[in-house]
Amino acid sequence: MSEPSRLELLRFTRRVVEQQAGAALRQIDGWIATEERREAERRRREEASLPRPEWLLQHGLNPRNIDAVHTCDCWTVEGSDRCRPVSRDQAVEAIRHQVPACTFCRPDTALGLLE
């Protein structure tokens, strides 16, 4: 039996490294999936424990700009990451400072600012 050539040894080494790298990537992907599940569960627990806000301010792409005031159950901002909860007084103050009220959920009516 003859000794393998240098080229055959290099190809064999490449296959071994490829298998090891694939196994390492699968292991890391498993760790990532586990951590994503933990984060999702943590977020679910936090959301379940926090009281639901009554009023929301929707920010524009520039977080300094406020685009609109919404009620907490407005379908137009459901799941939006550009909204933050505010108190009733803050919502009233925003509307008084010319921040538009959402035309769908009508927070200005709910706040008693319009009849």
Side-chain angles (χ1 to χ4, degrees):
M1 184 167 194
S2 66
E3 272 189 43
S5 70
R6 181 171 171 78
L7 182 58
E8 290 171 329
L9 290 173
L10 288 170
R11 286 185 176 145
F12 172 77
T13 302
R14 185 187 188 292
R15 285 192 307 271
V16 169
V17 169
E18 188 176 29
Q19 289 174 349
Q20 290 174 344
L25 286 173
R26 284 188 296 279
Q27 184 178 32
I28 291 169
D29 288 343
W31 293 339
I32 289 170
T34 299
E35 194 58 31
E36 286 172 340
R37 283 191 300 273
R38 286 180 184 154
E39 279 293 310
E41 181 59 33
R42 182 190 58 77
R43 271 186 256 116
R44 277 192 296 276
R45 280 194 311 270
E46 280 181 5
E47 289 172 2
S49 67
L50 294 176
R52 188 171 180 183
E54 290 187 56
W55 314 102
L56 300 170
L57 291 184
Q58 178 184 357
H59 292 272
L61 295 177
N62 178 349
R64 293 181 185 164
N65 298 334
I66 301 174
D67 288 346
V69 179
H70 297 272
T71 62
C72 67
D73 54 355
C74 183
W75 63 271
T76 63
V77 294
E78 191 172 300
S80 174
D81 60 347
R82 291 180 22 205
C83 288
R84 69 176 176 88
V86 293
S87 68
R88 182 183 196 290
D89 292 337
Q90 290 170 314
V92 168
E93 192 65 23
I95 291 173
R96 286 194 176 137
H97 282 92
Q98 306 304 314
V99 175
C102 174
T103 57
F104 296 100
C105 64
R106 302 305 307 181
D108 47 356
T109 302
L111 288 164
L113 300 177
L114 292 179
E115 271 121 54

